[in-house]
Amino acid sequence: MSEKHVYRFGKDENGNNVTEVAGATVDEAKWITGGKGANLAEMANIGLPVPPGFSITCQTCVAYSSAGNVWPDGVLDEIDVYRKDLEKRMGKKLGDKDDPLLVSVRSGAPFSMPGMMDTVLNLGLNDDSVQGLIKKTGNPRFGYDSYRRFVQMFSDVVMGVDGQLFEDAINAKKAERGVKLDTELNADDLKDLVATFKQIFSDNVDPEKYPEVVVDGKPVFPHDPYLQLRLAEQAVFGSWNTPRAILYRKQNKIPDDLGTAVNVQCMVFGNMGDTSATGVAFTRNPADGTNERYGDFLVNAQGEDVVAGIRNTEPISDLPKTPGLEEAGKELYHVFEILEDHYADMMDLEFTIQEGKLWMLQTRVGKRTALSALKVAIQMYEEGRISRETAVMRVAPEQLDQLLHPQFDPKAKYEVLAKGLNASPGAATGAVVFSSADAEAFKEAGKPSILVRWETTPDDLKGMVAAEGILTSHGGKTSHAAVIARGMGAPCVCGVEALHIDAPNKECKVAGTDVVLHEGDIISIDGTTGDVILGEVPLVRPQLGGDLETILDWADEVRKDPARGRVIGVRANADNPADAQLSADNGAEGIGLDRTEHMFLGERKQLIQNFILAESDDVKQESLKKLGEAQKGDFLGMFKAMDGKTVIVRLLDPPLHEFLDNPRDLEVEITKEECAGKDCTEKRALLAKLDSFQEANPMLGLRGCRLGIVYPELNVMQVRAIAGAAAELKKEGFDPKPEIMIPLVAFESEIELVRAGVEKTLKEVEEETGVKLEIPIGTMIELPRAAITADEIGKHADFFSFGTNDLTQTCLGFSRDDVESAFMPLYLEKKIVKRNPFATVDPGVAKLVQMGVEGGHKANPDIVCGVCGETGGDPESIQVYYDLGLDYVSCSPYRVPIARLAAAQAKINSNGGPAKVA
Ligand code: PEP
Ligand code: MG
């Protein structure tokens, strides 16, 4: 059976609806005739007034583009049949000199891409048919205005002539006539402009690119309406692949292989006098969700005038009160109701009123802010239109970020100075500082700052806490700066390569501009978009109300109900009592990862340094004792905040040099001092020691469980602190539930050895305190070997936590710190990778996770499996993890609400979709 390429919509000459639908539902049809085409057909089928027309399918676009802009066999004939059919249905012909048919030619992809692709209006006009239009309307000004608009739009959109040339010609005409407004030009002026525009066409169209329009060696504006139509259809197909459309798809994660439909539809005119109008509207307020009709209209205008903002529009509520438009206005208000009843959602729509008669040109599910999404979902449930599950599906998890962090005032105008990776959401504004110490000093002086660094290190933590936001010129979304900032809920833009930072001299050049930032200069950053702005941008914190809580409660209700499918938990990554409390407040059901190394910073850094560097055993033991006491204090706070809930504490993971000073700084200091004649023997010894801890590839060296094997006393100290805190709290009547996690295991023998040590220490603490502890012991799976041999490793683990940060870098060979800013943008652009694998789990890594889960269960049917890498907070990855059978995901405390919603949606998606109505 040959494929159908064209579908018609609207009525025939007898007033019968002859719509052909491309699928059983609008959602099915939109993949074939695009969102606009599918919804035009749907509106026609529910009896709304839709100007007749036809849609050429998205698949035709794909075939046309992939053949190098060549029409598939037979399609032009098929279109011709539908064109003739449309002429018959309308009783008019394109190009007719008495009563011409005019059509619009519009794009319409499966997903809305507003303004990204092409539209041509008034097609079919030529020197003959303009006379027909004038005859029919008795309005020469209208006729020539429509004609000049068409020549202008066709030349610009279809033939690529610079649009400014036409604007210049209009301005020249207005100057010649001594008038200010386009509307003051009369029919003769507009007729002159048509001639001028045609000349511009001839002078600027490339004859080699468009041989179809060449007459006697020169491009001539095509008189033939069928040629006009074919060129316009080709232009719409071509506009699928313009750089801006490609960019828009990339930003909005729309696949490139969908194509756009072309909708050819009879023109209706909103510019035929005072009983005509055009407008756009939403059935509810898309900004704040208020249940009110929302939108604007313009009397005596065409659609583009509303969008262009040339004239002031009227509020939609005035439409039924406007003389001459009362009936159409009332009908539109009725259409609002019909659309909401039919689609059970907030819709946006475009309409035109031609001489008092209402026509619907488009409808689609309305885009809305997070605030509006929450409110409308709750309203629709309360009105009995949708089920609670559908309400939960109506809010995009990523959108919640808008509500959880401060953002730039949407009314603010600003210019972007540089762009980087949107590493941690929210916006901040403050003075540039180049060191952690300066950030602290600014904080003390009451001045907000932005910490600008090449990349941050654990040393910068205090400054990161003191600053309002963090900006780095290096590193990706799982770089130190990004991970820590997300954990803290601080805005962060990282990997801004344009920044050339000279920290010692406290200045930073911005490549591609002549801006040089100095300490104290005010900048603003937007961690949601990756924008860096010179100067202050005002911030706003959106007001929440209880709507977020309501939707999250509904999400939890679905997520935790075993009757509706497998349950997936949501935990948080937190490493201090305040973050543990915040996690609990945000609804986390436990801590999935406490990175204990974060407890060794600030004043405790000296203690760990003493342990690492001291020659004397006494000093080492003393440092360990103090570290243990400090950690125990933290655990007491965390276990209390999470009383009765799991807290997974990971034994020390990073390479030890991360706690040490940079040997290069010491080397500079020594050189200076030796030049000044000082004796630096001791410092040289220290330098040698510092150097001995350096590693060429620190991520693959002495870290993870290997640390506790080389330095078993570190594990003893940590396990004692964990078990000691738990025993103490149990005695006080609390219900602490710590679990101990061994990081970066590759071999079964590693976990066996480390587990034995941990169990020995636990036993000792139980005997010393007389408290039975029963602390589960598990491991991170973050090396491919661990995932592959999970059936061996699982024999010794009560739980597995998949560390997708390390698993991604070791599986893909992408260094966490270098790859994202170095070549990830290029890899994404060239489609070598579809998504940033550090943000959304890579399919290869997902396979390793699957192997890990299966192997783990083979060895230990009761094993609990979760994810604690950054992808644990990513909605798309959460869907993958739900389907792989994981028991929980763990993410930064600030992402917990997002993960709760995403986990509920994953469950609904994988269990047959939402229930229809409550
Ligand atoms: C991981 O590797 O995914 C993980 C959570 O550990 P970290 O980021 O601390 O290496
Ligand atoms: Mg790791």
Side-chain angles (χ1 to χ4, degrees):
M1 198 184 79
S2 73
E3 190 189 335
K4 184 168 166 61
H5 299 91
V6 191
Y7 292 78
R8 65 184 182 183
F9 53 81
K11 297 187 170 170
D12 69 5
E13 61 276 27
N14 302 315
N16 298 320
N17 178 24
V18 290
T19 301
E20 298 171 335
V21 287
T25 61
V26 180
D27 266 345
E28 255 180 63
K30 79 173 185 196
W31 300 105
I32 300 168
T33 46
K36 191 190 298 256
N39 281 306
L40 282 168
E42 188 79 359
M43 284 198 292
N45 276 340
I46 59 173
L48 298 183
V50 171
F54 57 85
S55 307
I56 309 168
T57 65
C58 302
Q59 289 69 29
T60 314
C61 170
V62 174
Y64 173 86
S65 305
S66 35
N69 295 348
V70 176
W71 288 93
D73 278 352
V75 171
L76 285 175
D77 293 341
E78 197 178 331
I79 295 172
D80 218 39
V81 169
Y82 278 86
R83 191 258 309 154
K84 282 189 189 127
D85 172 67
L86 183 63
E87 288 179 332
K88 179 165 163 271
R89 286 154 69 195
M90 299 309 297
K92 297 174 186 220
K93 275 188 176 320
L94 283 167
D96 191 83
K97 65 179 182 5
D98 295 317
D99 183 11
L101 171 67
L102 302 187
V103 294
S104 62
V105 181
R106 295 173 199 261
S107 59
F111 295 104
S112 127
M113 294 172 52
M116 289 300 125
M117 290 180 297
D118 288 347
T119 287
V120 183
L121 302 178
N122 302 332
L123 188 137
L125 281 172
N126 58 26
D127 290 349
D128 295 335
S129 60
V130 72
Q131 298 309 328
L133 187 64
I134 292 168
K135 237 187 264 172
K136 215 50 207 167
T137 57
N139 187 341
R141 190 189 181 282
F142 169 75
Y144 285 113
D145 192 36
S146 301
Y147 194 15
R148 72 94 193 157
R149 280 174 194 261
F150 171 55
V151 180
Q152 183 173 354
M153 215 173 195
F154 187 91
S155 309
D156 171 1
V157 170
V158 179
M159 313 299 283
V161 179
D162 179 2
Q164 192 55 44
L165 297 172
F166 301 95
E167 294 303 331
D168 292 348
I170 296 174
N171 288 336
K173 190 78 194 167
K174 286 194 285 195
E176 177 198 322
R177 292 269 292 103
V179 298
K180 278 212 174 101
L181 301 175
D182 293 9
T183 45
E184 292 171 290
L185 295 174
N186 63 27
D188 286 337
D189 300 329
L190 294 164
K191 192 175 172 186
D192 285 354
L193 275 180
V194 169
T196 312
F197 285 6
K198 285 186 181 171
Q199 193 55 49
I200 295 176
F201 180 99
S202 295
D203 294 345
N204 291 280
V205 165
D206 179 351
E208 287 190 7
K209 210 165 156 198
Y210 299 102
E212 307 91 325
V213 299
V214 175
V215 179
D216 296 336
K218 235 187 136 30
V220 176
F221 189 81
H223 189 269
D224 174 1
Y226 305 140
L227 177 59
Q228 292 174 359
L229 183 59
R230 181 160 59 78
L231 289 171
E233 288 161 351
Q234 288 174 186
V236 171
F237 279 168
S239 69
W240 175 255
N241 281 323
T242 57
R244 68 176 180 181
I246 293 169
L247 183 67
Y248 183 88
R249 287 200 293 276
K250 192 167 135 203
Q251 281 167 345
N252 291 278
K253 297 188 178 172
I254 298 174
D256 283 325
D257 55 3
L258 299 177
T260 176
V262 176
N263 299 293
V264 178
Q265 187 175 27
C266 280
M267 283 296 299
V268 283
F269 295 95
N271 54 344
M272 282 182 112
D274 287 345
T275 56
S276 299
T278 187
V280 292
F282 288 82
T283 57
R284 301 190 189 202
N285 188 318
D288 65 16
T290 306
N291 188 358
E292 63 187 0
R293 308 308 183 197
Y294 180 100
D296 309 288
F297 71 99
L298 263 178
V299 178
N300 195 13
Q302 260 190 329
E304 73 219 45
D305 302 333
V306 182
V307 185
I310 303 164
R311 283 161 51 192
N312 284 339
T313 54
E314 312 287 333
I316 205 78
S317 52
D318 285 353
L319 184 64
K321 297 178 244 163
T322 305
L325 297 171
E326 296 95 335
E327 280 312 307
K330 265 191 233 149
E331 193 186 343
L332 181 71
Y333 269 67
H334 187 47
V335 168
F336 286 140
E337 278 168 35
I338 295 173
L339 286 175
E340 280 212 341
D341 285 348
H342 183 72
Y343 286 89
D345 205 344
M346 185 255 268
M347 303 302 289
D348 94 7
L349 48 101
E350 284 177 25
F351 65 92
T352 282
I353 299 168
Q354 179 175 323
E355 297 183 310
K357 162 108 185 89
L358 175 72
W359 292 100
M360 299 303 302
L361 299 186
Q362 169 162 321
T363 192
R364 61 188 166 195
V365 170
K367 285 209 190 320
R368 59 202 84 175
T369 63
L371 211 59
S372 174
L374 291 168
K375 205 178 261 330
V376 170
I378 294 169
Q379 286 165 5
M380 294 248 161
Y381 167 73
E382 284 169 351
E383 290 162 19
R385 293 176 193 273
I386 57 174
S387 65
R388 278 195 179 181
E389 288 187 4
T390 305
V392 165
M393 297 302 286
R394 287 276 169 89
V395 182
E398 283 295 358
Q399 267 195 313
L400 296 187
D401 247 0
Q402 288 176 11
L403 303 178
L404 303 169
H405 299 276
Q407 53 181 258
F408 288 158
D409 185 338
K411 294 194 279 295
K413 298 247 178 305
Y414 52 82
E415 248 177 61
V416 175
L417 174 67
K419 236 178 155 17
L421 294 167
N422 49 345
S424 175
T429 179
V432 170
V433 289
F434 293 99
S435 75
S436 182
D438 288 332
E440 286 182 89
F442 270 64
K443 170 113 183 163
E444 223 146 78
K447 289 190 256 173
S449 69
I450 305 284
L451 178 60
V452 182
R453 305 281 288 152
W454 187 75
E455 160 62 314
T456 59
T457 68
D459 255 353
D460 291 318
L461 191 72
K462 276 191 171 172
M464 293 170 81
V465 172
E468 301 300 309
I470 297 131
L471 175 60
T472 71
S473 59
H474 189 75
K477 280 189 184 168
T478 48
S479 64
H480 179 267
V483 172
I484 300 294
R486 278 198 295 275
M488 297 190 319
C492 172
V493 175
C494 62
V496 185
E497 288 183 346
L499 300 183
H500 295 195
I501 301 169
D502 179 358
N505 290 313
K506 298 190 173 183
E507 66 170 44
C508 168
K509 294 201 173 89
V510 185
T513 74
D514 44 21
V515 173
V516 182
L517 298 171
H518 298 97
E519 183 179 272
D521 289 350
I522 303 295
I523 59 167
S524 303
I525 60 170
D526 186 344
T528 313
T529 59
D531 290 344
V532 181
I533 289 104
L534 185 59
E536 182 176 342
V537 182
L539 303 181
V540 290
R541 183 178 277 280
Q543 294 300 307
L544 258 201
D547 293 342
L548 177 61
E549 294 256 11
T550 305
I551 290 287
L552 289 176
D553 284 349
W554 293 356
D556 286 351
E557 193 182 285
V558 178
R559 182 169 61 86
K560 294 181 184 173
D561 180 0
R564 296 194 227 188
R566 214 172 48 72
V567 174
I568 184 163
V570 176
R571 299 180 184 173
N573 296 353
D575 36 60
N576 57 62
D579 281 356
Q581 190 56 53
L582 176 68
S583 308
D585 294 346
N586 281 345
E589 290 141 7
I591 301 290
L593 172 63
D594 168 5
R595 293 174 163 104
T596 48
E597 60 269 22
H598 292 170
M599 296 170 158
F600 289 177
L601 299 170
E603 52 272 19
R604 297 178 193 171
K605 204 170 120 182
Q606 192 57 53
L607 295 172
I608 184 84
Q609 285 189 347
N610 288 349
F611 168 77
I612 301 167
L613 298 172
E615 299 292 344
S616 125
D617 202 44
D618 287 353
V619 178
K620 273 190 190 290
Q621 290 311 322
E622 184 57 22
S623 326
L624 269 187
K625 192 164 157 255
K626 286 191 179 148
L627 277 173
E629 283 162 8
Q631 282 215 304
K632 188 175 161 196
D634 287 343
F635 292 139
L636 286 170
M638 291 182 68
F639 299 167
K640 268 192 204 169
M642 281 282 160
D643 196 40
K645 297 188 182 103
T646 303
V647 176
I648 296 186
V649 182
R650 180 175 76 184
L651 300 178
L652 204 59
D653 176 55
L656 292 182
H657 67 80
E658 280 199 6
F659 297 109
L660 300 176
D661 295 330
N662 184 341
R664 300 291 68 84
D665 291 344
L666 182 62
E667 200 171 13
V668 172
E669 194 182 313
I670 291 173
T671 311
K672 277 186 192 158
E673 287 186 11
E674 284 182 344
C675 286
K678 280 197 187 161
D679 174 24
C680 291
T681 315
E682 263 185 41
K683 284 189 176 169
R684 283 231 165 256
L686 176 62
L687 177 62
K689 189 126 199 183
L690 288 182
D691 272 336
S692 73
F693 283 94
Q694 293 301 304
E695 293 177 340
N697 190 337
M699 283 311 215
L700 300 177
L702 180 55
R703 59 167 293 212
C705 71
R706 303 151 195 175
L707 274 178
I709 291 171
V710 176
Y711 302 98
E713 59 271 43
L714 277 174
N715 281 1
V716 173
M717 177 274 287
Q718 292 208 292
V719 175
R720 280 192 158 274
I722 298 163
E728 200 169 310
L729 289 176
K730 278 202 167 186
K731 282 188 183 163
E732 289 174 30
F734 288 96
D735 181 20
K737 287 191 176 330
E739 302 189 1
I740 292 175
M741 179 151 73
I742 303 166
L744 209 86
V745 162
F747 303 97
E748 180 184 5
S749 38
E750 281 178 330
I751 182 169
E752 233 182 319
L753 182 67
V754 177
R755 183 175 180 122
V758 170
E759 281 175 341
K760 181 166 172 279
T761 309
L762 285 176
K763 203 147 178 247
E764 283 166 15
V765 177
E766 284 186 335
E767 279 165 12
E768 286 161 22
T769 58
V771 178
K772 187 107 192 81
L773 289 171
E774 290 173 336
I775 296 178
I777 301 166
T779 182
M780 301 228 10
I781 302 289
E782 43 190 347
L783 294 172
R785 192 184 194 284
I788 295 165
T789 60
D791 54 342
E792 293 167 8
I793 290 173
K795 288 185 220 152
H796 313 280
D798 300 314
F799 63 87
F800 278 172
S801 181
F802 291 87
T804 51
N805 302 338
D806 276 311
L807 197 53
T808 302
Q809 70 164 359
T810 51
C811 172
L812 274 60
F814 280 3
S815 144
R816 293 163 64 158
D817 291 329
D818 302 307
V819 165
E820 279 185 90
S821 58
F823 60 81
M824 189 66 75
L826 182 75
Y827 261 47
L828 286 165
E829 192 188 307
K830 293 200 172 301
K831 300 199 183 80
I832 297 172
V833 290
K834 271 199 184 147
R835 305 258 189 279
N836 176 347
F838 288 106
T840 300
V841 65
D842 166 75
V845 174
K847 275 200 182 153
L848 285 175
V849 175
Q850 184 177 6
M851 278 179 119
V853 173
E854 285 168 6
H857 278 93
K858 205 163 134 202
N860 170 8
D862 296 328
I863 200 162
V864 177
C865 292
V867 170
C868 65
E870 291 301 303
T871 59
D874 167 62
E876 214 177 307
S877 309
I878 291 173
Q879 178 73 62
V880 174
Y881 297 142
Y882 182 86
D883 293 336
L884 288 181
L886 291 175
D887 297 300
Y888 68 87
V889 291
S890 188
C891 56
S892 115
Y894 294 90
R895 288 195 79 81
V896 166
I898 296 171
R900 284 164 65 195
L901 183 59
Q905 294 188 351
K907 180 171 181 170
I908 294 170
N909 282 332
S910 298
N911 290 282
K916 287 279 178 275
V917 176

